[in-house]
Amino acid sequence: MNITRLHSRALGILFLLPFFAYGIGTALITSVLSEPGHLAAVAGQRTPFVGGALLLLLNSVTVVGIGVLFFPILRERSPSIAVAYVCTRVMEALLLIVGVVFLLSILQLGESAQGQTTPELETLSKLLSKGNFWAYQLAMIILGAGSVAFCLSLYRSRLLPSFLPLVGAVGYGLLALGSVLELFGLPWGTLFSGPGGLFELFLGGWLIARGFRTVTPAVTA
């Protein structure tokens, strides 16, 4: 399999870009929602709020791009896993977009309130924020569970050093487990997401700097 350096570098960039897009976007939105009485003030901070939401949407675009660019690579080894991985990334992106819609609904709610908040509006704002939380955790469960087979396919393909996809499989499994625990009220998601996040960072850097190995594919079902 001869994968061009441009293809490898594009994938590497797409793995790294979400860390900046989602991280900065989340920071911007959190800076607004963490303020006391944020619903009354959110309309006055529309620019950072909308900017953060756009960065979160950019993150969703990049994760779909990862699935699309990996499809021809995985298809050489296992067409079924290639399709499943694209579906995993699309479902992840759709759930994250739903989360952004919940956040933008908070902005609309704050603008409609015109600085006059009520207990009912505060409760609705909390429910919308909780909706974003659930959408994110479900997206991470799908990503984690769906990416284990992806990593094992990379391991069998010998396109990368063998330790890297194995670390990824463990990391994605822990990511899914951490999100399940979060949904049950156990705040361990951030801790459990560490290995998977480090895998994606290292994989992105590796693809930019070194790219894939050249091997002869063996098609499986």
Side-chain angles (χ1 to χ4, degrees), residues 147-164:
S147 296
V148 172
F150 155 73
C151 288
L152 295 179
S153 179
L154 284 180
Y155 173 77
R156 291 193 299 268
S157 71
R158 305 189 307 280
L159 291 170
L160 296 168
S162 59
F163 76 92
L164 190 53

Side-chain angles (χ1 to χ4, degrees), residues 27-51:
L28 288 172
I29 289 177
T30 302
S31 67
V32 177
L33 296 183
S34 62
E35 292 186 5
H38 66 268
L39 193 57
V42 68
Q45 301 189 57
R46 180 183 179 89
T47 298
F49 200 93
V50 172

